[in-house]
Amino acid sequence: MTMIAGLAAAGETRNYDSVQALRGIAVMLVIAFHVTLLLRDRMEFKGALLVPGAAGVDLFFVISGFIMAVTTRKLWGLPGQAGDFLVKRCIRIFPLYWIATTLKLLLVVAVPRIAQHSELETWHTIASYLLIPAWNAE
């Protein structure tokens, strides 16, 4: 289990088990949404689409914000720390995101049928690499 260390008092670390439980709930919500979406689109599933499951993504954002706040609270208000945090965050996120995006792009080019809810467009590809929101016309 991952431990999120926060300073409740000098030198004291805390486990946020409830945050880990929420992370598990968020995962299950996202999985349920995608499974019902897949069943509906690929197997003519007539049941209800578990739309509330998409809220799992929102829950992940809230958890991430909490973790960032707890783990960086010693740095709040110190000169230059916001910029340092942003640079470190980009170094941590962008390379892995770009690799995953490239792999998906290659997969969509190789097997176009898997891109059921979107079409390969230059602007969407560029926007994806730059983390710019771009909605499909559907």
Side-chain angles (χ1 to χ4, degrees):
M1 177 180 286
T2 304
M3 179 174 59
I4 303 165
L7 298 178
E12 180 183 338
T13 60
R14 295 179 53 188
N15 287 332
Y16 291 95
D17 293 333
S18 57
V19 174
Q20 298 303 335
L22 276 174
R23 183 181 288 178
I25 290 168
V27 167
M28 298 310 288
L29 286 168
V30 172
I31 289 171
F33 173 76
H34 283 282
V35 166
T36 58
L37 183 66
L38 179 68
L39 289 172
R40 186 194 72 184
D41 292 348
R42 304 284 177 146
M43 299 180 181
E44 299 180 21
F45 176 67
K46 301 298 181 198
L49 180 62
L50 189 58
V51 174
V57 174
D58 298 329
L59 187 52
F60 272 119
F61 276 105
V62 171
I63 292 168
S64 293
F66 173 77
I67 291 170
M68 286 187 280
V70 167
T71 59
T72 62
R73 70 191 224 183
K74 297 184 301 187
L75 307 174
W76 292 0
L78 297 177
Q81 290 304 311
D84 289 346
F85 174 81
L86 184 59
V87 168
K88 288 176 186 175
R89 194 82 181 145
C90 287
I91 290 169
R92 181 176 175 188
I93 292 172
F94 275 92
L96 183 58
Y97 178 77
W98 288 333
I99 290 168
T101 299
T102 301
L103 291 174
K104 179 163 184 186
L105 180 63
L106 293 172
L107 189 59
V108 168
V109 168
V111 187
R113 186 169 184 258
I114 66 168
Q116 196 165 8
H117 293 284
S118 62
E119 293 181 23
L120 192 58
E121 296 178 6
T122 303
W123 166 244
H124 285 126
T125 302
I126 292 168
S128 183
Y129 278 102
L130 298 176
L131 299 177
I132 298 170
W135 288 269
N136 293 327
E138 288 183 31

